[in-house]
Amino acid sequence: MNPVPLASAVLDTGDTAWLLAATALVLLMTPGLALFYGGMVRTKSVLNMLMMSFVSIALVTVVWLVAGYSLAFGDDVFGGLIGGLGQVGLAGIGPADVTGSVPTLLFTTFQLTFAILTAALISGAVADRMKFGAWLVFVPVWTLLVYVPVAHWVWGPGGWIRDSLGALDFAGGLVVEIACGASGLALALVIGPRIGFRKDAMRPHNLPMVMLGAGLLWFGWLGFNGGSALGANGLAAASVLNTLVAGCTGLLGWLFVEQRRDGHPTTFGAASGVVAGLVAITPACGTVGVLGAAAVGLVAGVVCSYAVAWKFRYDYDDSLDVVGVHFVGGVVGTLLVGLFATAAMTGGTEGLFYGGGAGQLARQAVAVLAVAAYTFLVTYGIGRAIDAVMGVRASEDDELAGLDQTVHAESAYDHGGPGHAASLAPGHSAPLSRNRSTAP
């Protein structure tokens, strides 16, 4: 995702039309994620999960327009680490300005949808137990201190990973997947495990909702990856095909493991496998061929299906498997670029399996380590700071009762009994359900 400098930019209406569509597709991914996550949590915290995604749209948009875009995509001012403040508030950017072959305002909006989704993804690691007020503080601070610098490193002009290291990340394996996964782990460690973790059965409460969310994510991912070509061209077409293929092989890989390990291929496994394949192909969709995409998706489906169990082995409560799917899948896809990259896609760089040697694999590994370490450490610090000021975890009573009613005074499902009304008037209370049916 490397835009042409403004000096040589010429507007192309076909490219603009495609990126307008791709931007809408990526924005749809956040409501899709809300449904995906909402189906995975307990009935008593469904609305809270949906709200964490939807409010991220508003919070990140404000931050991005005020300073985020300028710091991420402005001219480098500090050794490849951060952009300048010359475009704070989108100053100096008008309808006639062009980046690459599309309006700069459209490029800005496309990049904004990536930042929104990345922040929302983190919520899955702390589902059922984070204070909503703490989330409202965390999202803008995290966007500025974590997402924006990493986006500059990888995609911004002069960013050190892009220009100095030479690692490849076509659509966000480093910026989105590894960043949200490492950050999710850090925040989960700050907050601690859910009540009943490792003791209570924690199953998805609504699998049709999970499948619908996965379908919307897959649909939106075509714009996520295909739009990263920044044009209506062959690279966009190849990225879309690679995205479709990797989602399919990710699904098959996950189901193969389930059948062999558990004796049952599940709908939840199918949805998870699709997402794992899509996560892994994100950094590689514009650098590998179709066979490489199939391999990337298959490896991710298999590896991530085992990785989601690590939280029980190492005793960290990543509620909805942000670490097991997004972090691990992002690492898999980013590293496999070093094996499967082909000159036909990259225009020059080749991976180890295509005669390019181990150099690109080493560069990919350095980028993975740098982004993972930075995002984990800074997010952990942000979480600790917010905890010291206002607390990050809901009270035990609120967690047991469910955040939908205690925070939002609403319930997702009206069963016609006490405590299940669509909403409760201020100052009124009703018996609160303690249904312990929950999600992983």
Side-chain angles (χ1 to χ4, degrees), residues 122 125-126 129-130 138 142 146 178-193 316-318 322-323 327 371-385 387 392:
I122 298 171
V126 294
R129 63 199 189 279
M130 186 171 184
F138 172 81
W142 181 89
V146 178
I178 292 175
C180 78
S183 297
L185 175 61
L187 196 57
L189 292 176
V190 170
I191 293 178
Y316 62 88
D317 187 8
D318 167 27
V322 179
V323 178
F327 179 76
V371 171
Y374 176 81
T375 54
F376 177 87
L377 292 172
V378 176
T379 302
Y380 191 85
I382 294 171
R384 284 296 185 194
D387 191 34
V392 293

mmCIF file of all heavy atoms in Angstrom, residues 122 125-126 129-130 138 142 146 178-193 316-318 322-323 327 371-385 387 392:
data_model
loop_
_atom_site.group_PDB
_atom_site.id
_atom_site.type_symbol
_atom_site.label_atom_id
_atom_site.label_comp_id
_atom_site.label_asym_id
_atom_site.label_seq_id
_atom_site.Cartn_x
_atom_site.Cartn_y
_atom_site.Cartn_z
ATOM 1 N N ILE A 122 -9.484 -5.477 19.128
ATOM 2 C CA ILE A 122 -8.909 -5.696 20.462
ATOM 3 C C ILE A 122 -9.987 -6.040 21.474
ATOM 4 O O ILE A 122 -9.740 -6.780 22.443
ATOM 5 C CB ILE A 122 -8.133 -4.441 20.910
ATOM 6 C CG1 ILE A 122 -6.965 -4.156 19.943
ATOM 7 C CG2 ILE A 122 -7.587 -4.601 22.335
ATOM 8 C CD1 ILE A 122 -6.286 -2.821 20.191
ATOM 9 N N ALA A 125 -10.524 -9.560 23.045
ATOM 10 C CA ALA A 125 -9.640 -10.125 24.069
ATOM 11 C C ALA A 125 -10.117 -9.827 25.482
ATOM 12 O O ALA A 125 -9.712 -10.500 26.431
ATOM 13 C CB ALA A 125 -8.214 -9.597 23.884
ATOM 14 N N VAL A 126 -10.966 -8.798 25.639
ATOM 15 C CA VAL A 126 -11.388 -8.375 26.980
ATOM 16 C C VAL A 126 -12.908 -8.420 27.120
ATOM 17 O O VAL A 126 -13.489 -7.746 27.977
ATOM 18 C CB VAL A 126 -10.867 -6.958 27.285
ATOM 19 C CG1 VAL A 126 -9.348 -6.969 27.370
ATOM 20 C CG2 VAL A 126 -11.322 -5.954 26.221
ATOM 21 N N ARG A 129 -15.876 -8.151 30.493
ATOM 22 C CA ARG A 129 -15.356 -7.724 31.791
ATOM 23 C C ARG A 129 -14.695 -6.346 31.812
ATOM 24 O O ARG A 129 -14.256 -5.897 32.882
ATOM 25 C CB ARG A 129 -14.361 -8.757 32.320
ATOM 26 C CG ARG A 129 -13.104 -8.938 31.462
ATOM 27 C CD ARG A 129 -12.453 -10.269 31.793
ATOM 28 N NE ARG A 129 -11.151 -10.464 31.189
ATOM 29 C CZ ARG A 129 -10.951 -10.860 29.933
ATOM 30 N NH1 ARG A 129 -11.979 -11.053 29.128
ATOM 31 N NH2 ARG A 129 -9.731 -11.046 29.466
ATOM 32 N N MET A 130 -14.587 -5.648 30.688
ATOM 33 C CA MET A 130 -13.938 -4.335 30.699
ATOM 34 C C MET A 130 -14.965 -3.236 30.896
ATOM 35 O O MET A 130 -16.047 -3.253 30.312
ATOM 36 C CB MET A 130 -13.182 -4.099 29.389
ATOM 37 C CG MET A 130 -12.368 -2.803 29.381
ATOM 38 S SD MET A 130 -11.280 -2.673 27.940
ATOM 39 C CE MET A 130 -10.427 -1.132 28.329
ATOM 40 N N PHE A 138 -9.463 4.167 26.346
ATOM 41 C CA PHE A 138 -8.405 3.347 25.758
ATOM 42 C C PHE A 138 -8.307 3.521 24.245
ATOM 43 O O PHE A 138 -7.206 3.674 23.699
ATOM 44 C CB PHE A 138 -8.652 1.870 26.093
ATOM 45 C CG PHE A 138 -7.726 0.928 25.378
ATOM 46 C CD1 PHE A 138 -6.441 0.707 25.845
ATOM 47 C CD2 PHE A 138 -8.136 0.271 24.221
ATOM 48 C CE1 PHE A 138 -5.568 -0.152 25.172
ATOM 49 C CE2 PHE A 138 -7.291 -0.592 23.547
ATOM 50 C CZ PHE A 138 -5.991 -0.803 24.020
ATOM 51 N N TRP A 142 -4.880 4.538 22.470
ATOM 52 C CA TRP A 142 -4.205 3.449 21.758
ATOM 53 C C TRP A 142 -4.018 3.783 20.290
ATOM 54 O O TRP A 142 -2.960 3.514 19.707
ATOM 55 C CB TRP A 142 -5.008 2.156 21.906
ATOM 56 C CG TRP A 142 -4.360 0.989 21.231
ATOM 57 C CD1 TRP A 142 -3.446 0.129 21.773
ATOM 58 C CD2 TRP A 142 -4.565 0.563 19.866
ATOM 59 N NE1 TRP A 142 -3.071 -0.812 20.838
ATOM 60 C CE2 TRP A 142 -3.736 -0.566 19.666
ATOM 61 C CE3 TRP A 142 -5.359 1.016 18.829
ATOM 62 C CZ2 TRP A 142 -3.678 -1.240 18.442
ATOM 63 C CZ3 TRP A 142 -5.306 0.359 17.599
ATOM 64 C CH2 TRP A 142 -4.474 -0.766 17.414
ATOM 65 N N VAL A 146 -0.181 3.741 19.470
ATOM 66 C CA VAL A 146 0.198 2.428 18.948
ATOM 67 C C VAL A 146 -0.083 2.315 17.448
ATOM 68 O O VAL A 146 0.829 2.108 16.645
ATOM 69 C CB VAL A 146 -0.526 1.300 19.712
ATOM 70 C CG1 VAL A 146 -0.164 -0.064 19.116
ATOM 71 C CG2 VAL A 146 -0.153 1.340 21.190
ATOM 72 N N ILE A 178 -1.088 -8.257 13.696
ATOM 73 C CA ILE A 178 -0.131 -8.439 14.791
ATOM 74 C C ILE A 178 -0.313 -7.346 15.835
ATOM 75 O O ILE A 178 -0.237 -7.597 17.048
ATOM 76 C CB ILE A 178 1.306 -8.474 14.251
ATOM 77 C CG1 ILE A 178 1.510 -9.755 13.427
ATOM 78 C CG2 ILE A 178 2.324 -8.392 15.379
ATOM 79 C CD1 ILE A 178 2.854 -9.848 12.735
ATOM 80 N N ALA A 179 -0.588 -6.118 15.382
ATOM 81 C CA ALA A 179 -0.786 -5.017 16.334
ATOM 82 C C ALA A 179 -1.979 -5.271 17.240
ATOM 83 O O ALA A 179 -1.891 -5.109 18.458
ATOM 84 C CB ALA A 179 -0.958 -3.702 15.581
ATOM 85 N N CYS A 180 -3.116 -5.686 16.673
ATOM 86 C CA CYS A 180 -4.290 -5.913 17.523
ATOM 87 C C CYS A 180 -4.105 -7.149 18.395
ATOM 88 O O CYS A 180 -4.560 -7.186 19.541
ATOM 89 C CB CYS A 180 -5.563 -6.020 16.689
ATOM 90 S SG CYS A 180 -5.829 -7.595 15.860
ATOM 91 N N GLY A 181 -3.430 -8.181 17.879
ATOM 92 C CA GLY A 181 -3.233 -9.401 18.655
ATOM 93 C C GLY A 181 -2.330 -9.201 19.846
ATOM 94 O O GLY A 181 -2.645 -9.621 20.971
ATOM 95 N N ALA A 182 -1.182 -8.548 19.626
ATOM 96 C CA ALA A 182 -0.263 -8.281 20.737
ATOM 97 C C ALA A 182 -0.889 -7.319 21.733
ATOM 98 O O ALA A 182 -0.720 -7.463 22.957
ATOM 99 C CB ALA A 182 1.053 -7.722 20.204
ATOM 100 N N SER A 183 -1.635 -6.346 21.236
ATOM 101 C CA SER A 183 -2.304 -5.395 22.130
ATOM 102 C C SER A 183 -3.413 -6.071 22.925
ATOM 103 O O SER A 183 -3.606 -5.784 24.107
ATOM 104 C CB SER A 183 -2.882 -4.238 21.311
ATOM 105 O OG SER A 183 -1.853 -3.506 20.670
ATOM 106 N N GLY A 184 -4.148 -6.970 22.263
ATOM 107 C CA GLY A 184 -5.186 -7.703 22.966
ATOM 108 C C GLY A 184 -4.623 -8.538 24.104
ATOM 109 O O GLY A 184 -5.211 -8.609 25.195
ATOM 110 N N LEU A 185 -3.483 -9.181 23.866
ATOM 111 C CA LEU A 185 -2.840 -9.970 24.924
ATOM 112 C C LEU A 185 -2.437 -9.078 26.085
ATOM 113 O O LEU A 185 -2.664 -9.417 27.258
ATOM 114 C CB LEU A 185 -1.619 -10.694 24.351
ATOM 115 C CG LEU A 185 -0.775 -11.475 25.357
ATOM 116 C CD1 LEU A 185 -1.594 -12.570 26.035
ATOM 117 C CD2 LEU A 185 0.453 -12.073 24.676
ATOM 118 N N ALA A 186 -1.830 -7.940 25.786
ATOM 119 C CA ALA A 186 -1.395 -7.029 26.843
ATOM 120 C C ALA A 186 -2.572 -6.555 27.680
ATOM 121 O O ALA A 186 -2.518 -6.553 28.918
ATOM 122 C CB ALA A 186 -0.660 -5.838 26.223
ATOM 123 N N LEU A 187 -3.657 -6.145 27.028
ATOM 124 C CA LEU A 187 -4.812 -5.639 27.765
ATOM 125 C C LEU A 187 -5.492 -6.744 28.564
ATOM 126 O O LEU A 187 -5.959 -6.512 29.691
ATOM 127 C CB LEU A 187 -5.802 -4.994 26.787
ATOM 128 C CG LEU A 187 -6.872 -4.089 27.388
ATOM 129 C CD1 LEU A 187 -6.242 -2.953 28.193
ATOM 130 C CD2 LEU A 187 -7.762 -3.512 26.292
ATOM 131 N N ALA A 188 -5.523 -7.963 28.013
ATOM 132 C CA ALA A 188 -6.107 -9.086 28.746
ATOM 133 C C ALA A 188 -5.307 -9.388 30.004
ATOM 134 O O ALA A 188 -5.877 -9.744 31.051
ATOM 135 C CB ALA A 188 -6.164 -10.322 27.847
ATOM 136 N N LEU A 189 -3.991 -9.249 29.932
ATOM 137 C CA LEU A 189 -3.154 -9.489 31.113
ATOM 138 C C LEU A 189 -3.367 -8.408 32.168
ATOM 139 O O LEU A 189 -3.331 -8.686 33.368
ATOM 140 C CB LEU A 189 -1.687 -9.549 30.701
ATOM 141 C CG LEU A 189 -1.276 -10.753 29.855
ATOM 142 C CD1 LEU A 189 0.187 -10.644 29.429
ATOM 143 C CD2 LEU A 189 -1.511 -12.055 30.607
ATOM 144 N N VAL A 190 -3.589 -7.178 31.726
ATOM 145 C CA VAL A 190 -3.854 -6.101 32.674
ATOM 146 C C VAL A 190 -5.184 -6.342 33.397
ATOM 147 O O VAL A 190 -5.281 -6.185 34.617
ATOM 148 C CB VAL A 190 -3.893 -4.738 31.955
ATOM 149 C CG1 VAL A 190 -4.414 -3.639 32.888
ATOM 150 C CG2 VAL A 190 -2.502 -4.364 31.434
ATOM 151 N N ILE A 191 -6.201 -6.745 32.663
ATOM 152 C CA ILE A 191 -7.542 -6.896 33.230
ATOM 153 C C ILE A 191 -7.703 -8.192 34.020
ATOM 154 O O ILE A 191 -8.398 -8.251 35.025
ATOM 155 C CB ILE A 191 -8.594 -6.819 32.103
ATOM 156 C CG1 ILE A 191 -8.617 -5.404 31.524
ATOM 157 C CG2 ILE A 191 -9.977 -7.210 32.591
ATOM 158 C CD1 ILE A 191 -9.576 -5.210 30.388
ATOM 159 N N GLY A 192 -7.062 -9.253 33.563
ATOM 160 C CA GLY A 192 -7.200 -10.544 34.225
ATOM 161 C C GLY A 192 -8.325 -11.371 33.625
ATOM 162 O O GLY A 192 -9.119 -10.882 32.818
ATOM 163 N N PRO A 193 -8.416 -12.638 34.020
ATOM 164 C CA PRO A 193 -9.396 -13.552 33.408
ATOM 165 C C PRO A 193 -10.826 -13.300 33.872
ATOM 166 O O PRO A 193 -11.061 -12.714 34.929
ATOM 167 C CB PRO A 193 -8.917 -14.931 33.876
ATOM 168 C CG PRO A 193 -8.205 -14.658 35.160
ATOM 169 C CD PRO A 193 -7.563 -13.319 35.002
ATOM 170 N N TYR A 316 -3.871 -17.279 30.237
ATOM 171 C CA TYR A 316 -4.287 -15.907 29.966
ATOM 172 C C TYR A 316 -5.652 -15.990 29.296
ATOM 173 O O TYR A 316 -5.904 -16.858 28.481
ATOM 174 C CB TYR A 316 -3.276 -15.178 29.067
ATOM 175 C CG TYR A 316 -3.104 -15.780 27.683
ATOM 176 C CD1 TYR A 316 -3.922 -15.397 26.613
ATOM 177 C CD2 TYR A 316 -2.116 -16.738 27.437
ATOM 178 C CE1 TYR A 316 -3.765 -15.955 25.352
ATOM 179 C CE2 TYR A 316 -1.956 -17.305 26.181
ATOM 180 C CZ TYR A 316 -2.786 -16.905 25.140
ATOM 181 O OH TYR A 316 -2.634 -17.463 23.897
ATOM 182 N N ASP A 317 -6.544 -15.091 29.658
ATOM 183 C CA ASP A 317 -7.913 -15.173 29.154
ATOM 184 C C ASP A 317 -8.121 -14.220 27.993
ATOM 185 O O ASP A 317 -8.533 -13.072 28.160
ATOM 186 C CB ASP A 317 -8.901 -14.874 30.279
ATOM 187 C CG ASP A 317 -10.342 -15.119 29.845
ATOM 188 O OD1 ASP A 317 -10.539 -15.653 28.743
ATOM 189 O OD2 ASP A 317 -11.257 -14.764 30.611
ATOM 190 N N ASP A 318 -7.819 -14.715 26.807
ATOM 191 C CA ASP A 318 -8.106 -14.004 25.560
ATOM 192 C C ASP A 318 -9.497 -14.464 25.129
ATOM 193 O O ASP A 318 -9.652 -15.454 24.419
ATOM 194 C CB ASP A 318 -7.032 -14.373 24.531
ATOM 195 C CG ASP A 318 -7.377 -13.957 23.120
ATOM 196 O OD1 ASP A 318 -8.132 -12.991 22.962
ATOM 197 O OD2 ASP A 318 -6.893 -14.613 22.172
ATOM 198 N N VAL A 322 -8.432 -13.413 20.058
ATOM 199 C CA VAL A 322 -7.735 -12.409 19.257
ATOM 200 C C VAL A 322 -6.267 -12.802 19.087
ATOM 201 O O VAL A 322 -5.685 -12.637 18.020
ATOM 202 C CB VAL A 322 -7.856 -11.020 19.919
ATOM 203 C CG1 VAL A 322 -7.117 -9.966 19.103
ATOM 204 C CG2 VAL A 322 -9.319 -10.637 20.074
ATOM 205 N N VAL A 323 -5.680 -13.341 20.137
ATOM 206 C CA VAL A 323 -4.280 -13.780 20.064
ATOM 207 C C VAL A 323 -4.156 -15.015 19.175
ATOM 208 O O VAL A 323 -3.324 -15.067 18.267
ATOM 209 C CB VAL A 323 -3.727 -14.074 21.477
ATOM 210 C CG1 VAL A 323 -2.287 -14.582 21.381
ATOM 211 C CG2 VAL A 323 -3.793 -12.835 22.353
ATOM 212 N N PHE A 327 -3.256 -12.590 16.074
ATOM 213 C CA PHE A 327 -1.806 -12.478 16.247
ATOM 214 C C PHE A 327 -1.080 -13.637 15.555
ATOM 215 O O PHE A 327 -0.179 -13.420 14.742
ATOM 216 C CB PHE A 327 -1.436 -12.457 17.731
ATOM 217 C CG PHE A 327 0.045 -12.371 17.962
ATOM 218 C CD1 PHE A 327 0.716 -11.173 17.795
ATOM 219 C CD2 PHE A 327 0.785 -13.487 18.336
ATOM 220 C CE1 PHE A 327 2.095 -11.088 17.986
ATOM 221 C CE2 PHE A 327 2.145 -13.420 18.529
ATOM 222 C CZ PHE A 327 2.808 -12.218 18.361
ATOM 223 N N VAL A 371 7.219 -4.987 15.700
ATOM 224 C CA VAL A 371 5.827 -4.551 15.875
ATOM 225 C C VAL A 371 5.193 -5.228 17.083
ATOM 226 O O VAL A 371 4.488 -4.588 17.873
ATOM 227 C CB VAL A 371 5.020 -4.823 14.588
ATOM 228 C CG1 VAL A 371 3.529 -4.581 14.833
ATOM 229 C CG2 VAL A 371 5.516 -3.939 13.459
ATOM 230 N N ALA A 372 5.441 -6.524 17.252
ATOM 231 C CA ALA A 372 4.853 -7.245 18.380
ATOM 232 C C ALA A 372 5.346 -6.685 19.707
ATOM 233 O O ALA A 372 4.554 -6.471 20.645
ATOM 234 C CB ALA A 372 5.176 -8.734 18.277
ATOM 235 N N ALA A 373 6.644 -6.445 19.802
ATOM 236 C CA ALA A 373 7.210 -5.937 21.059
ATOM 237 C C ALA A 373 6.689 -4.539 21.364
ATOM 238 O O ALA A 373 6.276 -4.242 22.498
ATOM 239 C CB ALA A 373 8.735 -5.934 20.978
ATOM 240 N N TYR A 374 6.699 -3.669 20.363
ATOM 241 C CA TYR A 374 6.258 -2.289 20.591
ATOM 242 C C TYR A 374 4.790 -2.238 20.987
ATOM 243 O O TYR A 374 4.421 -1.581 21.978
ATOM 244 C CB TYR A 374 6.491 -1.455 19.328
ATOM 245 C CG TYR A 374 5.969 -0.039 19.454
ATOM 246 C CD1 TYR A 374 6.725 0.928 20.109
ATOM 247 C CD2 TYR A 374 4.718 0.323 18.940
ATOM 248 C CE1 TYR A 374 6.242 2.231 20.255
ATOM 249 C CE2 TYR A 374 4.239 1.616 19.080
ATOM 250 C CZ TYR A 374 4.992 2.564 19.734
ATOM 251 O OH TYR A 374 4.523 3.835 19.888
ATOM 252 N N THR A 375 3.946 -2.917 20.229
ATOM 253 C CA THR A 375 2.510 -2.834 20.509
ATOM 254 C C THR A 375 2.164 -3.460 21.852
ATOM 255 O O THR A 375 1.309 -2.941 22.580
ATOM 256 C CB THR A 375 1.693 -3.489 19.390
ATOM 257 O OG1 THR A 375 2.150 -4.828 19.170
ATOM 258 C CG2 THR A 375 1.841 -2.718 18.089
ATOM 259 N N PHE A 376 2.821 -4.558 22.199
ATOM 260 C CA PHE A 376 2.542 -5.195 23.489
ATOM 261 C C PHE A 376 2.946 -4.275 24.635
ATOM 262 O O PHE A 376 2.164 -4.039 25.566
ATOM 263 C CB PHE A 376 3.277 -6.526 23.603
ATOM 264 C CG PHE A 376 3.083 -7.203 24.936
ATOM 265 C CD1 PHE A 376 2.002 -8.031 25.166
ATOM 266 C CD2 PHE A 376 3.982 -6.988 25.982
ATOM 267 C CE1 PHE A 376 1.800 -8.633 26.405
ATOM 268 C CE2 PHE A 376 3.793 -7.584 27.226
ATOM 269 C CZ PHE A 376 2.700 -8.412 27.430
ATOM 270 N N LEU A 377 4.164 -3.761 24.594
ATOM 271 C CA LEU A 377 4.675 -2.976 25.719
ATOM 272 C C LEU A 377 3.915 -1.666 25.897
ATOM 273 O O LEU A 377 3.558 -1.290 27.016
ATOM 274 C CB LEU A 377 6.164 -2.698 25.520
ATOM 275 C CG LEU A 377 7.082 -3.928 25.610
ATOM 276 C CD1 LEU A 377 8.506 -3.567 25.216
ATOM 277 C CD2 LEU A 377 7.046 -4.519 27.018
ATOM 278 N N VAL A 378 3.644 -0.967 24.796
ATOM 279 C CA VAL A 378 2.942 0.310 24.918
ATOM 280 C C VAL A 378 1.496 0.092 25.358
ATOM 281 O O VAL A 378 0.966 0.829 26.195
ATOM 282 C CB VAL A 378 3.013 1.093 23.600
ATOM 283 C CG1 VAL A 378 2.206 2.388 23.698
ATOM 284 C CG2 VAL A 378 4.460 1.417 23.249
ATOM 285 N N THR A 379 0.854 -0.922 24.815
ATOM 286 C CA THR A 379 -0.532 -1.201 25.220
ATOM 287 C C THR A 379 -0.601 -1.596 26.688
ATOM 288 O O THR A 379 -1.518 -1.174 27.411
ATOM 289 C CB THR A 379 -1.132 -2.324 24.364
ATOM 290 O OG1 THR A 379 -1.070 -1.955 22.987
ATOM 291 C CG2 THR A 379 -2.584 -2.588 24.748
ATOM 292 N N TYR A 380 0.347 -2.389 27.131
ATOM 293 C CA TYR A 380 0.378 -2.766 28.544
ATOM 294 C C TYR A 380 0.506 -1.514 29.416
ATOM 295 O O TYR A 380 -0.178 -1.381 30.436
ATOM 296 C CB TYR A 380 1.533 -3.725 28.807
ATOM 297 C CG TYR A 380 1.496 -4.373 30.174
ATOM 298 C CD1 TYR A 380 0.740 -5.520 30.400
ATOM 299 C CD2 TYR A 380 2.218 -3.830 31.237
ATOM 300 C CE1 TYR A 380 0.702 -6.110 31.655
ATOM 301 C CE2 TYR A 380 2.179 -4.416 32.493
ATOM 302 C CZ TYR A 380 1.419 -5.557 32.694
ATOM 303 O OH TYR A 380 1.384 -6.138 33.951
ATOM 304 N N GLY A 381 1.372 -0.586 28.994
ATOM 305 C CA GLY A 381 1.526 0.658 29.742
ATOM 306 C C GLY A 381 0.257 1.496 29.745
ATOM 307 O O GLY A 381 -0.123 2.064 30.779
ATOM 308 N N ILE A 382 -0.414 1.572 28.600
ATOM 309 C CA ILE A 382 -1.672 2.314 28.526
ATOM 310 C C ILE A 382 -2.711 1.689 29.455
ATOM 311 O O ILE A 382 -3.411 2.385 30.203
ATOM 312 C CB ILE A 382 -2.206 2.340 27.079
ATOM 313 C CG1 ILE A 382 -1.271 3.135 26.178
ATOM 314 C CG2 ILE A 382 -3.617 2.932 27.032
ATOM 315 C CD1 ILE A 382 -1.602 3.020 24.697
ATOM 316 N N GLY A 383 -2.813 0.367 29.415
ATOM 317 C CA GLY A 383 -3.775 -0.319 30.271
ATOM 318 C C GLY A 383 -3.518 -0.081 31.741
ATOM 319 O O GLY A 383 -4.446 0.186 32.523
ATOM 320 N N ARG A 384 -2.253 -0.165 32.132
ATOM 321 C CA ARG A 384 -1.907 0.073 33.540
ATOM 322 C C ARG A 384 -2.211 1.509 33.951
ATOM 323 O O ARG A 384 -2.679 1.776 35.076
ATOM 324 C CB ARG A 384 -0.424 -0.242 33.766
ATOM 325 C CG ARG A 384 -0.102 -1.733 33.822
ATOM 326 C CD ARG A 384 -0.779 -2.385 35.008
ATOM 327 N NE ARG A 384 -0.405 -3.782 35.146
ATOM 328 C CZ ARG A 384 -1.031 -4.656 35.917
ATOM 329 N NH1 ARG A 384 -2.093 -4.261 36.616
ATOM 330 N NH2 ARG A 384 -0.638 -5.903 35.996
ATOM 331 N N ALA A 385 -1.939 2.457 33.069
ATOM 332 C CA ALA A 385 -2.201 3.860 33.401
ATOM 333 C C ALA A 385 -3.687 4.114 33.576
ATOM 334 O O ALA A 385 -4.114 4.792 34.528
ATOM 335 C CB ALA A 385 -1.624 4.755 32.299
ATOM 336 N N ASP A 387 -5.918 1.914 34.360
ATOM 337 C CA ASP A 387 -6.339 1.185 35.553
ATOM 338 C C ASP A 387 -6.034 1.981 36.811
ATOM 339 O O ASP A 387 -6.832 2.008 37.762
ATOM 340 C CB ASP A 387 -5.628 -0.173 35.593
ATOM 341 C CG ASP A 387 -6.206 -1.099 36.641
ATOM 342 O OD1 ASP A 387 -7.434 -1.045 36.875
ATOM 343 O OD2 ASP A 387 -5.442 -1.888 37.232
ATOM 344 N N VAL A 392 -9.942 -0.477 35.034
ATOM 345 C CA VAL A 392 -10.306 -0.973 33.706
ATOM 346 C C VAL A 392 -11.321 -2.105 33.762
ATOM 347 O O VAL A 392 -11.965 -2.405 32.751
ATOM 348 C CB VAL A 392 -9.062 -1.468 32.926
ATOM 349 C CG1 VAL A 392 -8.144 -0.329 32.588
ATOM 350 C CG2 VAL A 392 -8.325 -2.563 33.692
#
